[in-house]
Amino acid sequence: MHSIRRIFSVGTAALVLGAGLVAGSSGAAQAAASDCTQGRAGFTDIPDSLSGRGVAGAGALVVDFPTNVPYAVASYAMQTGNVGGREMGWGVLSTSSSLWGAGASGQVWMDVTNDNKQSWIQCGPFYVSSAGARITTPAYPTSNSASRAFRVCAMAAIPVRDTGITCTPWW
């Protein structure tokens, strides 16, 4: 009786685990920077130095190092401005020049929805690993349509831990 119960339990666990893996892998999109650079998906490449008007808030990322360097600190924000004669939005990530340890990395990406947040296009992630660096996502046209919205997400990491993903509100 114990062996039948054990076989049933192991079989059920394997089935549940397998279903979770299939469900998890089919629902997670694997986005890449190349999906939205060079004019793909309606995005426009912009220089990392481009600054605009801050919208939808911003945030700070802090990772504690376990040894010598106390932190890796970065900030992220969503900005809008004129790009090639059109009003557009983009994400930006800046790393601290003094609190950025060796091995630290940061990433930023922008999500754009055109259907009231039912689905979205992820532009990025874009990576940076040096102190005092600034990186932007490509820009996407803004719109008066209530169905179009943007958010910027970011994460900072060191080899043994990360900040987790944090995003601005949709704008």
Side-chain angles (χ1 to χ4, degrees):
M1 182 73 162
H2 286 276
S3 62
I4 292 173
R5 201 177 295 156
R6 183 171 184 209
I7 290 169
F8 182 77
S9 297
V10 170
T12 302
L15 182 62
V16 169
L17 179 59
L21 291 174
V22 170
S25 62
S26 65
Q30 296 299 317
S34 60
D35 294 340
C36 60
T37 56
Q38 299 177 348
R40 290 182 188 91
F43 288 86
T44 300
D45 292 342
I46 60 173
D48 290 332
S49 60
L50 185 64
S51 289
R53 178 176 56 95
V55 295
L61 306 167
V62 179
V63 185
D64 294 324
F65 274 78
T67 57
N68 305 351
V69 180
Y71 304 103
V73 178
S75 63
Y76 66 97
M78 179 186 298
Q79 297 185 343
T80 62
N82 189 299
V83 177
R86 294 182 74 184
E87 190 68 19
M88 298 185 134
W90 63 90
V92 62
L93 177 79
S94 300
T95 62
S96 169
S97 57
S98 60
L99 295 174
W100 195 257
S105 65
Q107 53 185 293
V108 64
W109 60 94
M110 184 169 73
D111 295 332
V112 177
T113 182
N114 288 300
D115 61 5
N116 246 356
K117 303 174 214 139
Q118 298 301 308
S119 64
W120 54 84
I121 305 163
Q122 180 178 318
C123 181
F126 296 88
Y127 296 89
V128 65
S129 59
S130 56
R134 184 177 196 278
I135 191 165
T136 60
T137 68
Y140 196 85
T142 61
S143 171
N144 291 331
S145 169
S147 62
R148 180 167 301 164
F150 302 82
R151 73 177 172 190
V152 172
C153 301
M155 185 173 79
I158 60 173
V160 294
R161 69 177 64 119
D162 63 54
T163 60
I165 296 168
T166 185
C167 300
T168 65
W170 286 99
W171 176 81

